[in-house]
Each structure stands twice: as C-alpha cells, then as structure tokens.
Amino acid sequence: MATESRGGGEPSSKKIEDWEVRFDGGFGDVTGARLSAEEFLNTLARSAPPATPEYRDDILLVVSELAANAIQYAPGPFRLTMRRTFEGVHVTLGDTSTTPPAPRPFKPGNGGGGGIGWYLIHTLCDQVSVVPREDGKDVHVFLPW
C-alpha cells in the first residue's frame, strides 16, 4: 500500500513540486513505484517535455530497479521521492537496510538470478550516490530529462 504527498498541492506550470510516495515493501510495490513515477513524469511532461522519449523510459526503468532492490535486500517499507532539477530528474529511494548496494556477478542462464540491476542504474544515471542513515539508506540518482 502506498501513501502519497506532494510538496504544496498541485504542481504549477512553472514549478513541479517534489513527489513523495511511501510503500509497505510488498512485491506489488515495484509496480506501484513505477506507476507513481509515471504519474510524476506525465505531470512534468505537460510543462517540460523530455528532450527524448528514451529519458522517460530510462527513469521508469531505474525506479523499477531501485524498488525491486529495496524489496529484495531491505525488507520493510520504502520511500520514493522525485523532483525536477535544472537539467533532469532527481530520484531518491529510501529503504530500511544500512548495507550499501554493491554489484553482483551477472551470470546469464542461471535461472533469472539477477546481477545486472546495479550496473544498469549506473549506466543510465548521470550520478549515483548512497547516503547511509541510522535506520537505513537513501539511494540518490540523477537522470537527464
């Protein structure tokens, strides 16, 4: 289940407000996070369309990967925050694990064992950082728009 808040009501045509949604951490929340990101991007596109359609798709893919990682490696609730920056979109996913993400070996053909998500996030994002908190961590990514 998700709860949503937007900083200051409906976004204006000049300034898109921060978008924050909280999730319980269930498997359906990957889809919920993606749908929430899509809603934010649709609102943003009305006043500032992306430079290329691929930028929108990249953001949605990164949000899905971050949410999937949170569910797999940080049991419990997570928070998705999105905001417009001068040249792009800043996405933050806060979860309950204090362990920073790390690349895992990618082994094709091992029955869907993963290992490519963190590499994908680093490839698509202009900047990636992990900020530890006492009760978890925040993963910050910046993507072009």
Side-chain angles (χ1 to χ4, degrees), residues 61-117:
L61 180 57
V62 167
V63 165
S64 297
E65 287 292 331
L66 289 171
N69 285 350
I71 288 168
Q72 185 172 0
Y73 299 108
F78 66 91
R79 178 189 74 258
L80 172 67
T81 305
M82 299 180 72
R83 66 180 49 97
R84 176 76 162 114
T85 65
F86 180 68
E87 293 182 354
V89 174
H90 174 196
V91 176
T92 305
L93 193 130
D95 65 33
T96 60
S97 172
T98 56
T99 304
R104 293 185 304 124
F106 174 62
K107 298 178 185 170
N110 69 350
I116 198 166

Side-chain angles (χ1 to χ4, degrees), residues 3 7 25 36 42-45 47 53 68-69 90 96 99 107 109 117 120 133:
T3 57
S36 180
N42 289 342
T43 301
L44 177 59
S47 62
N69 285 350
H90 174 196
T96 60
T99 304
K107 298 178 185 170
L120 184 66
R133 300 185 324 264

Side-chain angles (χ1 to χ4, degrees), residues 6 10-11 16 19 38-48:
R6 293 177 216 165
E10 287 302 311
I16 303 300
W19 190 272
E38 190 170 26
E39 188 176 347
F40 171 82
L41 295 176
N42 289 342
T43 301
L44 177 59
R46 285 195 285 274
S47 62

